[in-house]
Amino acid sequence: GGEMDIAQVVRRWWIPTSPVQLLQSQHNLLNHFVRKNIQSRQVVLRSSGYAINFVDSVTPSPSPPIVLMHGFGSGLGFFFRNFDDLIGHGNITRRVLAADWLGMGASSRPSCSSSPRSPILPLSSPLSPKDAVSFFTDSLNEWADAVGLTKFILVGHSLGGYLAAKFALSHPERVAGLVLASPVGLPDAPMDFVDSSDLPLGLRLIDAAWSANVTPQQIVRMLGHRGPTMTTNAVKMRFRNKFSETEASLIADYLFHISAAPGSGEFAMNSLLRPVVARDGRAGVYARDPVGTQLTSLATSNVPLLLLFGDHDWMRQPALSDVCDSLEHAGVRFQSLLIEGAGHHLYLDNHPMFNHIITQFVDRISHK
């Protein structure tokens, strides 16, 4: 109706973004960094009519395809340092795909009624973690069908790692190997944590914003025309001196457009995760339904697992050693490795090592 049109016009004026600009910024970013030929595509899911945005190297290869899945508030474009090495050269090449989760990146952004939002009003029941997970994993499964992938190596970063783990548990027959790169939500939350009313004011505000589902993307949207400047500064701060001015602006432009697009998948954050401050003062983000011990079932389905963390990664919690112990005890084929000189964004911080470890993992699976 007319009201909706006016709302969209105001939105466009206030927030300088659009789906066309988003895809253009993805193209510009990948075009600058990726030498290999990758095709940008979208498939429409039959069940819902929503589109999944993805890129595909379409490389002929005897080994299972590699599917890269991004983390919260990110998009497939952030794997710009990984495509070339993973695709490979000479007589060893691999097919590499990367997709945007439904409700994120340049995939469809279902409106709030169908997106996994945990309601702000305490009267209505929040979306269960199970329903929020299905929103993402069902659409990934349908996308894999549409693209014709029967079995693939699934690589997930951060929240994408948590969702990839959940996918491998519900569809083990499709997963030739699982790589969790600095995943969120493996260990159980500490038993001894501080009640939010005892937290210092700054942390109380974060806790309240989290509970009310205020996402970083909403802040970028509220900034309107100032959003691009803020994202540029954020990129420069996070990846100090790693990129030239041109490169930093390509990354920031992409980050701005994926953050400023209409909110959808990001609202799952509150249904899936919660911030916890332990009595020892350590703050962390934990899953409402931790996936670590559930991964022991990979022993039965015989899915090899690779766990990667950066050596100064805030997601590397002490409780992870318990998870590793239970995986080992259950007889899961798994390896846990640290990426040197890397934080949570290990696939960018030390891309040569990250790429090398994954290609070794993939080639080992292919030669089995």
Side-chain angles (χ1 to χ4, degrees), residues 121-155:
L121 296 172
L123 301 171
S124 47
S125 68
L127 191 74
S128 73
K130 190 170 182 293
D131 290 342
V133 164
S134 314
F135 174 85
F136 298 110
T137 55
D138 291 357
S139 48
L140 178 64
N141 193 48
E142 204 182 332
W143 168 79
D145 282 343
V147 180
L149 304 178
T150 43
K151 204 164 183 172
F152 48 92
I153 287 163
L154 185 56
V155 181

Side-chain angles (χ1 to χ4, degrees), residues 176-260:
L178 178 64
V179 181
L180 305 181
S182 191
V184 69
L186 260 61
D188 293 347
M191 300 300 282
D192 192 19
F193 59 88
V194 183
D195 186 79
S196 58
S197 57
D198 298 335
L199 293 171
L201 179 66
L203 285 170
R204 266 213 309 279
L205 287 173
I206 290 171
D207 187 64
W210 189 285
S211 305
N213 239 331
V214 176
T215 66
Q217 291 89 327
Q218 277 171 303
I219 295 162
V220 169
R221 286 182 209 113
M222 286 189 285
L223 286 164
H225 284 275
R226 288 165 305 194
T229 314
M230 193 185 103
T231 49
T232 305
N233 294 341
V235 165
K236 285 182 180 162
M237 268 173 63
R238 172 59 181 82
F239 301 108
R240 272 189 290 276
N241 315 323
K242 279 236 159 88
F243 300 106
S244 69
E245 199 69 25
T246 314
E247 292 174 340
S249 69
L250 284 168
I251 299 163
D253 190 43
Y254 175 67
L255 178 60
F256 169 74
H257 288 297
I258 60 173
S259 303

Side-chain angles (χ1 to χ4, degrees), residues 48-78:
S48 60
Y50 294 134
I52 297 288
N53 176 59
F54 69 104
V55 294
D56 184 353
S57 72
V58 211
T59 327
S61 172
S63 55
I66 303 168
V67 173
L68 306 172
M69 297 303 294
H70 65 84
F72 176 79
S74 188
L76 65 82
F78 275 96

Side-chain angles (χ1 to χ4, degrees), residues 31-357:
N31 209 29
H32 176 84
F33 284 101
V34 184
R35 300 273 70 86
K36 296 273 190 323
N37 190 25
I38 50 175
Q39 296 177 9
S40 176
R41 294 179 56 198
Q42 298 221 337
V43 295
V44 175
L45 305 178
R46 281 218 182 104
S47 67
S48 60
Y50 294 134
I52 297 288
N53 176 59
F54 69 104
V55 294
D56 184 353
S57 72
V58 211
T59 327
S61 172
S63 55
I66 303 168
V67 173
L68 306 172
M69 297 303 294
H70 65 84
F72 176 79
S74 188
L76 65 82
F78 275 96
F79 292 116
F80 59 83
R81 286 276 202 224
N82 311 112
F83 290 109
D84 284 340
D85 285 351
L86 295 181
I87 292 166
H89 46 83
N91 52 7
I92 298 182
T93 54
R94 307 165 200 88
R95 181 181 177 188
V96 179
L97 303 93
D100 285 330
W101 292 105
L102 181 60
M104 298 192 201
S107 287
S108 291
R109 307 268 182 140
S111 64
C112 294
S113 56
S114 50
S115 66
R117 190 169 198 161
S118 177
I120 294 168
L121 296 172
L123 301 171
S124 47
S125 68
L127 191 74
S128 73
K130 190 170 182 293
D131 290 342
V133 164
S134 314
F135 174 85
F136 298 110
T137 55
D138 291 357
S139 48
L140 178 64
N141 193 48
E142 204 182 332
W143 168 79
D145 282 343
V147 180
L149 304 178
T150 43
K151 204 164 183 172
F152 48 92
I153 287 163
L154 185 56
V155 181
H157 172 249
S158 194
L159 176 63
Y162 176 77
L163 295 171
K166 285 288 193 184
F167 180 89
L169 293 171
S170 51
H171 305 281
E173 72 293 342
R174 291 203 100 139
V175 182
L178 178 64
V179 181
L180 305 181
S182 191
V184 69
L186 260 61
D188 293 347
M191 300 300 282
D192 192 19
F193 59 88
V194 183
D195 186 79
S196 58
S197 57
D198 298 335
L199 293 171
L201 179 66
L203 285 170
R204 266 213 309 279
L205 287 173
I206 290 171
D207 187 64
W210 189 285
S211 305
N213 239 331
V214 176
T215 66
Q217 291 89 327
Q218 277 171 303
I219 295 162
V220 169
R221 286 182 209 113
M222 286 189 285
L223 286 164
H225 284 275
R226 288 165 305 194
T229 314
M230 193 185 103
T231 49
T232 305
N233 294 341
V235 165
K236 285 182 180 162
M237 268 173 63
R238 172 59 181 82
F239 301 108
R240 272 189 290 276
N241 315 323
K242 279 236 159 88
F243 300 106
S244 69
E245 199 69 25
T246 314
E247 292 174 340
S249 69
L250 284 168
I251 299 163
D253 190 43
Y254 175 67
L255 178 60
F256 169 74
H257 288 297
I258 60 173
S259 303
S264 176
E266 73 211 50
F267 292 121
M269 175 177 81
N270 169 351
S271 295
L272 294 173
L273 310 170
R274 62 193 175 116
V276 171
V277 179
R279 287 255 168 237
D280 63 9
R282 261 197 291 250
V285 174
Y286 292 85
R288 295 186 189 279
D289 176 26
V291 78
T293 47
Q294 298 170 19
L295 288 170
T296 52
S297 74
L298 295 180
T300 322
S301 49
N302 204 23
V303 174
L305 169 67
L306 177 60
L307 267 182
L308 301 176
F309 286 92
D311 60 3
H312 56 269
D313 186 339
W314 67 274
M315 205 57 88
R316 218 176 108 219
Q317 294 140 328
L320 279 164
S321 59
D322 300 342
V323 173
C324 290
D325 289 347
S326 60
L327 292 175
E328 206 157 332
H329 189 72
V332 176
R333 283 167 58 194
F334 95 104
Q335 216 186 348
S336 177
L337 297 170
L338 278 189
I339 305 282
E340 291 158 24
H344 181 52
H345 292 277
L346 61 179
Y347 58 95
L348 270 181
D349 292 336
N350 185 349
H351 57 94
M353 186 174 179
F354 178 87
N355 296 341
H356 177 68
I357 287 171

